[in-house]
C-alpha cells in the first residue's frame, strides 16, 4: 500500500481545492479531523445543527446546502448507523453528494454492525472515490462520551463481561481519515479509493481492564460493576435518557459484545506507517487531564 500519509505535509498533493465538509464536526472524530485539515491549510466546512449552513440528520432539507461546492466529505452519522432509517439516510446523502460533484467520501462506521456494513456498501457505490473506516469502540468514550461522568466519579457500570475489545484512539481514526481525504499518488490516483479499513487498537481489553488501567494511571481506583441488561436499562432510565437512546445503547452493548470484534488488525499501521496507539497512551493523557 502507498503510505503517503507519513510524508511531510508539503509533499502531500491536495486532491481537490474545494472545501472539505466535515459532518459531525463537533464529535470525537470530526473535531479532530477538522483541526488537522485546518492545520494543513485545507478550507473546512464544519457541519452541525448550530452551523451555517445548518446540517441536521433528521432534516433532509439541510443536506444539499451543506454539500454545495465541496470536494471532500467526512460522514459521521448520528446517533449510530444501527438506528432505524440510517442506511436510507446515507443512501440519500450519497445521492446528493454525487449530484454536488464531491470527489471523495469517507464514512465512519461501527465495527461488527451489519447496518454499518450495509451503509459502507452504499457509500462504495457512489460516483465519488470512497473509503470506509470500520472502527472499534473509541478510547475517548471514557473521557468525552457518555461513560465519562461515571468514570470521573470513580466507577464504570456496564452489562458486559469478559469480552475483549480492541479499543482505538480517536486520534488514530482522525489521522487515517485525513489520509483518506488527502493522499494522492504521484500519478494522481487516490490510494484509498474503494477501501474499507478495519481500524483497531493493538490489543484487546475488557471493560474491567479499562477501569483498572485508568485507575492505575490516575492513582485513584475506578471500580467496574457488571450488571444485567435489564438493570442497565433501568440505570439509563433513572438518568433521564429517552427510550430511543436506551434502546440504542442496549442494542450496542448486547449485540457487539458476543466476541465478534475480539481481534486486532494492522490497518492503522498499514495506512499511516506507524503502529496504532496503545491504550496506555490514552490513559496517560486521561490522567494528565485529571491532575
Amino acid at each position: 500500500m502507498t503510505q503517503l500519509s507519513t510524508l511531510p505535509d508539503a509533499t502531500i498533493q491536495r486532491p481537490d481545492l474545494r472545501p472539505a465538509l466535515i459532518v459531525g464536526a463537533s464529535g470525537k472524530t470530526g473535531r479532530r479531523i477538522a483541526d488537522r485539515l485546518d492545520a494543513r491549510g485545507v478550507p473546512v466546512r464544519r457541519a452541525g445543527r448550530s452551523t451555517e449552513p445548518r446540517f441536521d440528520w433528521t432534516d433532509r432539507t439541510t443536506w444539499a446546502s451543506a454539500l454545495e461546492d465541496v470536494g471532500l466529505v467526512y460522514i459521521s452519522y448520528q446517533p449510530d448507523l444501527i438506528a432505524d432509517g440510517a442506511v436510507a439516510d446515507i443512501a440519500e446523502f450519497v445521492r446528493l453528494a454525487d449530484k454536488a460533484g464531491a470527489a471523495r467520501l469517507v464514512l465512519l462506521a461501527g465495527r461488527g454492525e451489519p447496518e454499518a456494513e450495509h451503509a459502507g456498501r452504499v457509500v462504495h457505490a457512489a460516483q465519488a472515490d470512497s473509503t470506509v473506516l470500520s472502527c472499534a469502540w473509541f478510547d475517548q468514550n471514557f473521557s468525552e462520551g457518555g461513560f465519562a461522568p461515571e468514570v470521573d466519579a470513580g466507577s464504570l457500570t456496564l452489562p458486559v463481561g469478559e469480552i475483549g475489545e480492541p479499543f482505538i484512539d480517536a486520534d488514530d481514526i482522525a489521522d487515517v481519515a485525513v489520509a483518506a481525504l488527502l493522499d494522492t499518488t504521484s500519478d494522481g490516483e487516490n490510494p484509498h479509493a474503494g477501501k474499507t479499513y478495519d481500524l483497531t487498537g493493538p490489543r484487546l481489553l475488557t471493560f474491567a481492564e479499562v477501569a483498572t488501567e485508568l485507575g492505575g494511571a490516575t492513582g485513584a481506583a475506578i471500580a467496574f460493576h457488571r450488571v444485567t441488561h435489564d438493570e442497565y436499562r433501568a440505570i439509563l432510565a433513572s438518568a433521564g435518557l429517552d427510550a430511543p437512546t436506551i434502546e440504542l445503547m442496549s442494542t450496542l452493548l448486547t449485540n457487539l459484545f458476543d466476541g465478534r470484534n475480539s481481534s486486532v488488525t494492522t490497518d492503522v499501521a498499514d495506512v499511516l506507517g506507524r503502529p496504532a496507539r496503545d491504550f496506555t497512551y490514552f490513559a496517560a493523557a486521561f490522567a494528565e487531564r485529571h491532575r
Side-chain angles (χ1 to χ4, degrees), residues 42-95:
V42 178
V44 175
R45 182 178 298 167
R46 290 170 166 82
R49 293 180 179 178
S50 61
T51 60
E52 183 58 42
R54 188 172 74 91
F55 183 93
D56 186 344
W57 278 115
T58 68
D59 183 358
R60 291 188 179 189
T61 66
T62 66
W63 301 357
S65 58
L67 283 161
E68 185 175 354
D69 196 35
V70 299
L72 313 171
V73 184
Y74 175 74
I75 310 165
S76 176
Y77 186 85
Q78 291 295 324
D80 192 275
L81 288 170
I82 69 168
D84 290 342
V87 175
D89 282 347
I90 293 296
E92 176 60 12
F93 183 86
V94 168
R95 185 187 73 81

Side-chain angles (χ1 to χ4, degrees), residues 4-290:
L4 294 182
S5 54
T6 62
L7 298 177
D9 292 354
T11 68
I12 297 177
Q13 302 177 46
R14 286 277 310 283
D16 201 300
L17 297 178
R18 294 173 293 169
L21 174 67
I22 308 301
V23 177
S26 63
K28 300 178 191 69
T29 58
R31 172 170 51 84
R32 288 170 167 82
I33 293 164
D35 288 348
R36 282 162 168 76
L37 293 176
D38 269 340
R40 293 173 186 244
V42 178
V44 175
R45 182 178 298 167
R46 290 170 166 82
R49 293 180 179 178
S50 61
T51 60
E52 183 58 42
R54 188 172 74 91
F55 183 93
D56 186 344
W57 278 115
T58 68
D59 183 358
R60 291 188 179 189
T61 66
T62 66
W63 301 357
S65 58
L67 283 161
E68 185 175 354
D69 196 35
V70 299
L72 313 171
V73 184
Y74 175 74
I75 310 165
S76 176
Y77 186 85
Q78 291 295 324
D80 192 275
L81 288 170
I82 69 168
D84 290 342
V87 175
D89 282 347
I90 293 296
E92 176 60 12
F93 183 86
V94 168
R95 185 187 73 81
L96 292 172
D98 279 339
K99 183 178 180 181
R104 295 192 186 191
L105 305 178
V106 176
L107 174 71
L108 176 70
R111 189 178 191 231
E113 299 177 14
E115 299 86 354
E117 293 172 5
H118 188 179
R121 292 192 293 271
V122 169
V123 171
H124 279 320
Q127 297 171 22
D129 285 355
S130 61
T131 309
V132 175
L133 311 183
S134 181
C135 299
W137 281 52
F138 304 169
D139 296 348
Q140 282 73 14
N141 286 337
F142 303 104
S143 60
E144 302 172 26
F147 302 147
E150 186 188 3
V151 171
D152 287 345
S155 65
L156 179 61
T157 304
L158 288 167
V160 177
E162 296 299 308
I163 298 296
E165 170 72 14
F167 294 97
I168 184 167
D169 198 286
D171 284 315
D172 282 342
I173 300 171
D175 287 343
V176 173
V178 168
L181 290 168
L182 297 184
D183 282 0
T184 304
T185 64
S186 59
D187 56 2
E189 297 297 320
N190 174 2
H192 310 289
K195 304 280 190 179
T196 294
Y197 293 123
D198 187 6
L199 303 182
T200 75
R203 62 187 171 112
L204 299 176
L205 287 167
T206 66
F207 280 93
E209 289 168 338
V210 164
T212 298
E213 292 213 11
L214 291 179
T218 61
I222 297 174
F224 177 75
H225 304 291
R226 183 182 181 184
V227 295
T228 68
H229 285 282
D230 286 342
E231 289 170 334
Y232 190 65
R233 292 169 72 93
I235 291 170
L236 296 180
S238 67
L241 275 67
D242 58 34
T245 302
I246 292 172
E247 187 61 33
L248 176 67
M249 288 298 299
S250 181
T251 299
L252 285 170
L253 291 167
T254 300
N255 294 350
L256 298 184
F257 289 92
D258 58 1
R260 73 181 70 180
N261 286 335
S262 295
S263 61
V264 300
T265 75
T266 62
D267 282 14
V268 170
D270 292 342
V271 174
L272 300 178
R274 62 159 178 80
R277 293 172 172 88
D278 190 80
F279 191 81
T280 53
Y281 169 92
F282 168 75
F286 179 88
E288 184 64 28
R289 286 194 300 271
H290 285 73

